[in-house]
Amino acid sequence: MSPDLQRLIDLQRLESTIADAKAKIATHPQRLAEADAQLAAASRLLESAKNRLKDNQEARRALDKDIALYQGRLSKFRDQQSAVKTNKEYQALGHEIETAQKDLGGVEEKVIERMVEADAIAADVKQAESAFAARRKEIEAQKKQMSDELASVEASLTSATEARVALLKQLDQRLVSTFEQVARVRKGIAVTTATRDGLCSVCHVRLRPQVFQQIRQNDSIVQCDSCQRILYYVPPPPPAEGAIVR
Ligand SMILES: [Zn+2]
């Protein structure tokens, strides 16, 4: 293998590592925001169940006030009734008492409805709380994993960047220019392999036989006629010991 070709292969590997690392780092804030949004959605579900319970309790307090009001009215009528002088007055108060009792009964029915509702809502709250706790645990684990990944990608970016600087010092400036020129117009891929059947592995053009023959030597810098990428050849692995060679 020509040392320059080996360096260009290494440069390509480093450039690809750097590009992948940068792309991954760029997506991190978005992924973090998505995880936070999921947690916020889970928290809103819990909040809504808690709010329903609060509404129920407020309604219940209003009904309790009504009960106190009707009970006060009833006892006032009963006091008055025991003090009246005429039968007519007595009967009139009797009607008032009957009406107040009916009103009281209506409110008491509503209290029972609210109590039944409160039991169902309390069960919903409990379920929402455990669902939220589970979701939070899951999302926190996700975020922890994301931050571990970020740290490892940042570390690989740093080491690839340093290795690239060192490698560039060892490379002929003319080769670096060729590499950069091709990388710029070929989505960052300036070095690739020729396939075993003689194609450029990226643009798939068939290489001329003498060009392919030259690439197979791996001892010079040869570019694809079509896409200009620098090509090298990876020979097939030798057959494993004991394997039947046909
Ligand atoms: Zn090509």
Side-chain angles (χ1 to χ4, degrees):
M1 172 76 72
S2 128
D4 273 340
L5 183 57
Q6 184 60 58
R7 287 183 194 111
L8 287 170
I9 293 167
D10 292 344
L11 180 61
Q12 180 62 63
R13 189 177 45 80
L14 292 170
E15 295 274 1
S16 297
T17 300
I18 289 167
D20 290 349
K22 283 181 175 169
K24 190 132 203 206
I25 290 167
T27 66
H28 183 76
Q30 177 64 27
R31 292 170 68 214
L32 201 61
E34 278 165 13
D36 283 336
Q38 283 177 6
L39 190 60
S43 151
R44 278 196 296 277
L45 279 182
L46 175 58
E47 277 313 299
S48 121
K50 281 182 175 171
N51 283 337
R52 280 193 291 132
L53 193 58
K54 215 162 84 186
D55 290 347
N56 173 280
Q57 285 161 347
E58 269 167 27
R60 176 72 198 278
R61 273 193 291 276
L63 290 173
D64 286 345
K65 270 187 198 165
D66 287 348
I67 285 178
L69 182 80
Y70 290 128
Q71 280 172 341
R73 204 174 280 174
L74 263 177
S75 75
K76 192 186 76 183
F77 291 147
R78 283 186 182 124
D79 288 348
Q80 286 172 351
Q81 203 180 34
S82 65
V84 294
K85 303 280 187 283
T86 69
N87 206 27
K88 201 181 162 193
E89 282 173 319
Y90 186 89
Q91 279 177 352
L93 280 165
H95 283 303
E96 298 284 5
I97 289 169
E98 215 174 289
T99 307
Q101 270 172 337
K102 219 180 266 173
D103 290 343
L104 182 62
V107 179
E108 280 169 347
E109 256 174 52
K110 284 184 188 162
V111 167
I112 290 167
E113 282 168 19
R114 289 296 180 180
M115 283 166 74
V116 171
E117 191 189 65
D119 285 345
I121 299 173
D124 285 352
V125 169
K126 210 170 165 193
Q127 207 219 337
E129 269 167 351
S130 71
F132 175 71
R135 196 80 185 99
R136 185 172 56 192
K137 204 172 155 191
E138 210 176 277
I139 290 170
E140 273 166 5
Q142 263 176 28
K143 285 170 75 171
K144 166 85 172 67
Q145 195 192 342
M146 278 162 56
S147 105
D148 290 350
E149 273 173 22
L150 181 68
S152 115
V153 171
E154 280 171 344
S156 89
L157 176 60
T158 303
S159 71
T161 304
E162 285 166 5
R164 178 181 175 274
V165 170
L167 187 59
L168 285 176
K169 285 181 191 153
Q170 299 169 32
L171 262 166
D172 188 332
Q173 187 50 48
R174 196 179 40 85
L175 288 177
V176 173
S177 300
T178 304
F179 180 97
E180 285 176 349
Q181 205 182 328
V182 178
R184 200 160 38 239
V185 292
R186 297 296 177 201
K187 293 180 180 161
I189 307 298
V191 180
T192 190
T193 53
T195 65
R196 279 167 208 153
D197 51 353
L199 308 181
C200 166
S201 68
V202 179
C203 80
H204 306 296
V205 97
R206 180 160 296 282
L207 303 160
R208 283 177 290 131
Q210 71 267 39
V211 173
F212 183 44
Q213 191 48 44
Q214 201 185 347
I215 291 164
R216 284 172 62 129
Q217 307 302 314
N218 279 335
D219 61 3
S220 58
I221 309 302
V222 183
Q223 289 174 264
C224 170
D225 282 338
S226 171
C227 71
Q228 307 303 313
R229 289 184 177 94
I230 297 157
L231 295 169
Y232 65 101
Y233 184 71
V234 180
E241 209 161 316
I244 299 158
V245 182
R246 291 172 196 275

